[in-house]
């Protein structure tokens, strides 16, 4: 009996000590969050101070690339976008409004992951893997503009402020339970877990809204630069195509980004509303038709190639060189594909020597073209028609549906 009383007193003392430590730890954590949201120094802008200190800590954890050419490319693009962000206030869907000039800096991380991130105050990091993944300066500019928008709209500062409020609301019941000594350790643990999950759900929700705003604002920033906003779309669409090849995982409350397909759809709507032509092949050369010169059987010919498929091989027709003819065809093909060409828009002329697109000549074949391929003119025309229709099917498969159901 006595031993049981002693043990009970020790147990109560242990629980009380642990409870006191937990309360103290929670209060310290919330105090730190409040400090970050208010700013720790009156002498330096708290947002820039937080970003500078976070960047310094980040630089200790990663390997930075010092390649002169890569840095010059990133800084050239980044500085043009930063100049716009520091002069023009773009629409805010989620974040803190108001124009604020920030000392933007851009660094490259030696990491193969396709990723970029920003710290408060304009400290932007681009992974080497992302540089390799982008297909043009327009695409890279789209990603950098997205990260600049995070800083320009002060997303991290708003997240910190919201986290303060959410943490108190979520952990309040657990704190009351601890302070009043109500409920056992299991009850308190459940309350803390529930509070933590609530916080994750809410903060990730805010994160999703911040990502949407960064995409939206990036378009407005890019419109004031030499870079085509469609580059952000083609970059995100390529990410979406890669996601199709991976097992689908439902992240639920742990999702911090909108689904990539939804991001692409939102960008298409925004670009359309702003009257910006969605010319994917101007910002992603890998999507478009291009010219490859070929020397064979003593002749020099030009192949019009798209997505690994040869559309047609052209020769000098006596008045126009093979390369010039091929460039003209490639340019027309790219324009038609960007203008939503459909398979039934393509046909052959009555004599089957010309490929027509919307009843206008796209490719006019000659005997020299036929000899270059070892076929008849009609066969070359038919092969070109079949290649274009197959490429259209591929393009439509890869194109972002405007609605989830499509």
């Amino acid at each position: 009996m006595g031993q049981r009383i002693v043990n009970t007193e020790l147990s109560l003392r242990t629980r009380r000590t642990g409870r006191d430590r937990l309360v103290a730890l929670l209060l310290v954590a919330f105090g730190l969050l409040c400090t970050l949201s208010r700013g720790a120094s009156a002498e330096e802008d708290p947002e820039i101070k937080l970003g500078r200190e976070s960047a310094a800590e980040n630089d200790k954890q990663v390997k930075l690339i010092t390649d002169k050419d890569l840095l010059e490319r990133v800084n050239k693009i980044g500085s043009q976008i930063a100049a716009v962000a520091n002069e023009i206030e773009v629409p805010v869907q989620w974040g803190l409004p108001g124009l604020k000039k920030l000392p933007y800096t851009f660094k490259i991380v030696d990491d193969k992951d396709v990723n970029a991130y920003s710290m408060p105050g304009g400290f932007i990091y681009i992974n080497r893997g992302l540089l390799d993944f982008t297909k043009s300066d327009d695409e890279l500019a789209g990603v950098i503009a997205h990260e600049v928008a995070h800083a320009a709209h002060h997303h991290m500062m708003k997240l910190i402020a919201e986290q303060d409020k959410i943490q108190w609301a979520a952990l309040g019941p657990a704190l009351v339970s601890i302070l009043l000594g109500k409920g056992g350790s299991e009850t308190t643990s459940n309350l803390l877990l529930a509070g933590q999950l609530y916080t994750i759900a809410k903060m990730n929700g805010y994160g999703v809204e911040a990502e949407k705003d960064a995409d939206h604002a990036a378009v407005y920033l890019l419109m004031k630069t030499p870079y085509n906003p469609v580059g952000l779309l083609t970059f995100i669409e390529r990410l979406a195509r890669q996601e199709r090849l991976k097992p689908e995982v439902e992240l639920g409350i742990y999702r911090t980004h909108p689904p990539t397909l939804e991001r692409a759809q939102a960008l298409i709507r925004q670009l359309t509303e702003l009257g910006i032509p969605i010319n994917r092949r101007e910002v992603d050369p890998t999507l478009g038709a291009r010219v490859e010169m070929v020397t064979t059987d003593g002749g020099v010919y030009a192949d019009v190639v798209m997505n690994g498929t040869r559309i047609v091989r052209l020769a000098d027709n006596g008045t126009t060189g093979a390369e010039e003819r091929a460039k003209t065809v490639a340019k027309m093909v790219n324009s038609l594909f960007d203008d939503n060409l459909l398979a039934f828009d393509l046909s052959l002329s009555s004599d089957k020597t010309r490929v027509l697109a919307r009843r206008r000549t796209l490719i006019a074949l000659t005997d020299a073209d036929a000899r270059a391929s070892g076929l008849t003119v009609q066969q070359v025309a038919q092969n070109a028609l079949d290649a274009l229709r197959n490429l259209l099917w591929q393009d439509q498969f890869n194109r972002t549906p405007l609605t989830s159901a499509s």
Side-chain angles (χ1 to χ4, degrees):
M1 183 71 170
Q3 185 66 43
R4 187 179 302 159
I5 293 175
V6 172
N7 287 342
T8 302
E9 289 174 349
L10 287 172
S11 178
L12 287 171
R13 190 181 304 120
T14 300
R15 289 204 302 270
R16 189 159 50 244
T17 301
R19 184 173 66 228
D20 293 343
R21 288 176 179 171
L22 178 56
V23 171
L25 181 61
L26 288 169
L27 292 175
V28 168
F30 288 128
L32 287 173
L33 286 170
C34 292
T35 299
L36 288 176
S37 63
R38 290 194 305 269
S41 170
E43 297 178 358
E44 183 180 10
D45 182 291
E47 182 175 14
I48 296 175
K49 177 179 173 63
L50 174 60
R52 178 174 55 77
E53 293 176 349
S54 299
E57 185 60 32
N58 179 77
D59 291 357
K60 297 176 185 177
Q61 308 297 325
V62 300
K63 180 182 178 182
L64 297 175
I65 287 179
T66 58
D67 182 277
K68 181 180 178 181
D69 291 337
L70 290 178
L71 287 171
E72 183 177 350
R73 180 190 178 203
V74 168
N75 277 289
K76 177 186 176 182
I77 297 173
S79 62
Q80 290 174 299
I81 297 169
V84 175
N86 278 338
E87 294 296 331
I88 298 174
E89 184 175 359
V90 300
V92 177
Q93 292 186 325
W94 192 90
L96 301 177
L99 182 63
K100 179 179 179 181
K101 293 189 176 182
L102 298 173
Y104 288 94
T105 60
F106 303 91
K107 297 182 180 181
I108 305 173
V109 180
D110 191 7
D111 190 315
K112 65 180 180 179
D113 286 345
V114 179
N115 194 24
Y117 53 96
S118 64
M119 305 289 185
F123 298 86
I124 313 294
Y125 292 85
I126 309 294
N127 278 6
R128 176 60 184 267
L130 187 141
L131 292 179
D132 296 336
F133 189 78
T134 56
K135 303 301 181 183
S136 67
D137 282 355
D138 294 298
E139 288 196 348
L140 179 56
V143 175
I144 292 177
H146 175 99
E147 298 305 327
V148 167
H150 276 311
H153 286 178
H154 318 289
H155 288 156
M156 184 58 70
M157 304 310 289
K158 182 173 176 65
L159 284 168
I160 290 172
E162 296 293 345
Q163 187 173 1
D164 283 350
K165 294 185 290 186
I166 293 169
Q167 292 276 18
W168 281 112
L171 298 180
L175 285 171
V176 170
S177 176
I178 293 169
L179 292 169
L180 298 180
K182 294 182 177 180
S185 58
E186 183 178 352
T187 300
T188 301
S189 176
N190 289 339
L191 285 170
L192 287 172
L193 176 59
Q196 183 183 34
L197 292 177
Y198 169 82
T199 301
I200 291 172
K202 290 293 290 183
M203 293 309 297
N204 283 355
Y206 287 131
V208 168
E209 294 307 312
E211 292 300 325
K212 289 179 180 178
D213 179 64
D215 282 346
H216 185 264
V219 172
Y220 285 95
L221 291 172
L222 292 166
M223 288 173 65
K224 301 294 183 180
T225 72
Y227 304 104
N228 190 335
V230 177
L232 180 58
L233 172 63
T234 55
F235 174 84
I236 289 176
E237 286 183 325
R238 193 176 312 112
L239 286 178
R241 289 196 293 272
Q242 284 203 346
E243 286 182 1
R244 292 180 190 174
L245 305 177
K246 299 178 182 178
E248 185 174 351
V249 178
E250 179 52 55
L251 298 176
I253 64 172
Y254 295 97
R255 180 180 293 281
T256 58
H257 286 63
T260 309
L261 177 61
E262 290 183 13
R263 294 177 67 187
Q265 290 169 337
L267 280 169
I268 290 173
R269 289 193 296 270
Q270 183 184 5
L271 292 168
T272 302
E273 290 169 2
L274 293 172
I276 299 173
I278 302 180
N279 42 10
R280 291 175 174 86
R281 285 148 193 87
E282 287 189 16
V283 298
D284 181 358
T286 66
L287 294 176
R290 66 182 188 277
V291 177
E292 294 181 356
M293 299 305 297
V294 178
T295 301
T296 180
D297 297 331
V300 178
Y301 308 104
D303 286 350
V304 180
V305 179
M306 187 176 192
N307 196 25
T309 298
R310 186 177 78 188
I311 299 172
V312 67
R313 174 167 291 176
L314 298 175
D316 186 324
N317 66 3
T319 58
T320 307
E323 184 175 11
E324 186 177 348
R325 290 181 67 205
K327 285 182 177 179
T328 299
V329 171
K331 183 177 180 180
M332 292 174 64
V333 168
N334 289 336
S335 178
L336 286 164
F337 271 60
D338 278 332
D339 195 32
N340 300 314
L341 183 73
L342 299 175
F344 63 75
D345 291 327
L346 293 166
S347 61
L348 294 179
S349 60
S350 57
D351 62 359
K352 301 188 186 306
T353 63
R354 291 176 294 132
V355 178
L356 308 180
R358 294 172 179 166
R359 300 182 181 180
R360 302 181 66 176
T361 298
L362 174 60
I363 308 173
L365 284 312
T366 68
D367 290 336
D369 300 328
R371 288 193 296 272
S373 298
L375 302 170
T376 66
V377 172
Q378 289 76 14
Q379 287 173 326
V380 173
Q382 183 63 54
N383 288 347
L385 177 66
D386 293 342
L388 285 167
R389 285 177 171 167
N390 183 57
L391 288 166
L392 273 175
W393 179 84
Q394 295 177 33
D395 185 68
Q396 289 166 6
F397 176 79
N398 288 330
R399 189 171 297 178
T400 302
L402 297 181
T403 63
S404 314
S406 55

